[in-house]
Amino acid sequence: MSRSNSPKKKKKSRPIGHFLEFVAFVALLFTVRLIPHFLAIRMGHALGWMAACVVRLRRRVVDENLVLAFGDTKSQRERDRIARGAYMHFGVMAVEALRLYGRPLTKWNELIDPDGSEEIRAVHKIVEKYGNELVLLTAHLGFWEMSNTLAFQGIRLCHIAKPIHNPYLEGMIVKGRKYPDYRTITTQESMGKMVRAAKEGWALGLVADQDARKQGIFVNFFGRPASTPIGPAFFASKLNRPLIPYYYIRMANGKFRLFTESPIIPPEGLDADEAIRYLTQKGMDSLEMMIRRYPEQYWWFHRRWKTQPPTFPETP
């Protein structure tokens, strides 16, 4: 077959907007790395405050979520304080993530609170009992990107992540996440690849707390049905592994502590669907408890309760 008649591969469309986003990201990355650390942190606080109080970026969604979560148990003033705190927390977190992008794990580990030895001992007990035969569940709470530092606790983590839409940024982020005992598999790859990783001695980790639409199951979250991803519960049930909720939470000193919950194992006698529902509900119970303790560190910007069962009206 002549070269001119060979079938041509169709190139994926990469809109100019994606490239401009990539350029802006790189420019911001170099900016926050060039300035001193304390100025970068202040920049993060300032950007968060402006997003909350001046631009009011997704502020309506945040306010609605806080009402759905806390209702009359918190006053308007308290909810406003939580909202501002969340914007500033994620402004600082974004700056820290940019400064740490592609840096050695030892640099990431410098953000771990040295006073959190009790929490670290709890992790070591889990590792001593189960090794890497774990399914780890975290959420958009605190600083979940620090999951790579689990390597310092003896956990080889394969993180299953949803790719972002911008292919330029996705390629850069995937490259920056590569470490010896930390790897990622995207949700677009085969389930067989994820299972093989588990059988090769990797713990599986997922961030699974956002609205799953029709693909999720409804469990209780802050007293209201929430469509929730079943991925963590599915793998825990299929691989007969304990489900471990964990969170990296910022302390008053600016450092982070790794909090883990006791291993979640479904009671004997449940069928596969019942086990998945049990594990998913327990995972959301754990998350709700931690959010109530640290509400300013949760990602309130997402319409968590958008999808509702027929007996409940969908949120606007």
Short mmCIF file of all heavy atoms in Angstrom, two decimals, residues 237 266-278:
data_model
loop_
_atom_site.label_atom_id
_atom_site.label_comp_id
_atom_site.label_asym_id
_atom_site.label_seq_id
_atom_site.Cartn_x
_atom_site.Cartn_y
_atom_site.Cartn_z
N SER A 237 -14.68 -4.69 48.14
CA SER A 237 -15.49 -5.90 48.16
C SER A 237 -14.94 -6.97 47.21
O SER A 237 -14.81 -8.14 47.57
CB SER A 237 -16.94 -5.57 47.77
OG SER A 237 -17.74 -6.72 47.71
N PRO A 266 -17.22 -5.06 55.78
CA PRO A 266 -18.66 -5.35 55.87
C PRO A 266 -18.95 -6.58 56.71
O PRO A 266 -18.13 -7.52 56.76
CB PRO A 266 -19.08 -5.55 54.41
CG PRO A 266 -17.82 -5.93 53.70
CD PRO A 266 -16.71 -5.22 54.41
N PRO A 267 -20.09 -6.61 57.39
CA PRO A 267 -20.46 -7.80 58.18
C PRO A 267 -20.61 -9.02 57.28
O PRO A 267 -20.90 -8.91 56.08
CB PRO A 267 -21.80 -7.41 58.80
CG PRO A 267 -21.89 -5.93 58.69
CD PRO A 267 -21.10 -5.55 57.47
N GLU A 268 -20.39 -10.18 57.85
CA GLU A 268 -20.56 -11.42 57.08
C GLU A 268 -22.03 -11.61 56.71
O GLU A 268 -22.93 -11.17 57.42
CB GLU A 268 -20.08 -12.61 57.91
CG GLU A 268 -18.58 -12.62 58.17
CD GLU A 268 -18.14 -13.87 58.91
OE1 GLU A 268 -18.99 -14.78 59.09
OE2 GLU A 268 -16.96 -13.95 59.30
N GLY A 269 -22.25 -12.25 55.60
CA GLY A 269 -23.62 -12.56 55.18
C GLY A 269 -24.21 -11.59 54.18
O GLY A 269 -25.29 -11.85 53.64
N LEU A 270 -23.54 -10.47 53.91
CA LEU A 270 -24.06 -9.52 52.94
C LEU A 270 -23.71 -9.96 51.53
O LEU A 270 -22.61 -10.48 51.29
CB LEU A 270 -23.48 -8.12 53.19
CG LEU A 270 -23.75 -7.45 54.54
CD1 LEU A 270 -23.16 -6.04 54.54
CD2 LEU A 270 -25.24 -7.41 54.85
N ASP A 271 -24.65 -9.75 50.61
CA ASP A 271 -24.30 -10.03 49.21
C ASP A 271 -23.47 -8.87 48.68
O ASP A 271 -23.21 -7.89 49.39
CB ASP A 271 -25.55 -10.29 48.37
CG ASP A 271 -26.49 -9.09 48.29
OD1 ASP A 271 -26.02 -7.94 48.39
OD2 ASP A 271 -27.71 -9.29 48.11
N ALA A 272 -23.04 -8.97 47.41
CA ALA A 272 -22.12 -7.97 46.84
C ALA A 272 -22.71 -6.57 46.88
O ALA A 272 -22.03 -5.61 47.28
CB ALA A 272 -21.75 -8.36 45.41
N ASP A 273 -23.97 -6.43 46.47
CA ASP A 273 -24.60 -5.10 46.44
C ASP A 273 -24.75 -4.53 47.85
O ASP A 273 -24.53 -3.33 48.08
CB ASP A 273 -25.97 -5.17 45.76
CG ASP A 273 -25.86 -5.42 44.26
OD1 ASP A 273 -24.77 -5.18 43.70
OD2 ASP A 273 -26.86 -5.83 43.65
N GLU A 274 -25.12 -5.37 48.79
CA GLU A 274 -25.29 -4.91 50.17
C GLU A 274 -23.95 -4.49 50.77
O GLU A 274 -23.86 -3.50 51.51
CB GLU A 274 -25.92 -6.02 51.02
CG GLU A 274 -27.38 -6.31 50.68
CD GLU A 274 -27.90 -7.55 51.37
OE1 GLU A 274 -27.08 -8.43 51.74
OE2 GLU A 274 -29.13 -7.65 51.56
N ALA A 275 -22.89 -5.24 50.44
CA ALA A 275 -21.56 -4.90 50.95
C ALA A 275 -21.10 -3.56 50.39
O ALA A 275 -20.53 -2.73 51.12
CB ALA A 275 -20.57 -6.00 50.58
N ILE A 276 -21.35 -3.33 49.11
CA ILE A 276 -20.96 -2.06 48.49
C ILE A 276 -21.72 -0.90 49.12
O ILE A 276 -21.14 0.15 49.42
CB ILE A 276 -21.19 -2.12 46.96
CG1 ILE A 276 -20.14 -3.02 46.32
CG2 ILE A 276 -21.17 -0.73 46.34
CD1 ILE A 276 -20.37 -3.30 44.85
N ARG A 277 -23.00 -1.06 49.36
CA ARG A 277 -23.78 0.00 50.00
C ARG A 277 -23.28 0.25 51.42
O ARG A 277 -23.17 1.40 51.84
CB ARG A 277 -25.27 -0.36 50.00
CG ARG A 277 -26.16 0.71 50.63
CD ARG A 277 -27.62 0.43 50.41
NE ARG A 277 -27.96 0.48 49.01
CZ ARG A 277 -28.20 1.62 48.35
NH1 ARG A 277 -28.12 2.78 48.99
NH2 ARG A 277 -28.50 1.59 47.08
N TYR A 278 -23.01 -0.81 52.16
CA TYR A 278 -22.53 -0.68 53.53
C TYR A 278 -21.21 0.10 53.55
O TYR A 278 -21.05 1.05 54.33
CB TYR A 278 -22.34 -2.06 54.14
CG TYR A 278 -21.75 -2.05 55.53
CD1 TYR A 278 -22.57 -1.96 56.65
CD2 TYR A 278 -20.36 -2.12 55.73
CE1 TYR A 278 -22.03 -1.94 57.93
CE2 TYR A 278 -19.82 -2.11 57.00
CZ TYR A 278 -20.66 -2.02 58.11
OH TYR A 278 -20.11 -1.99 59.37
#
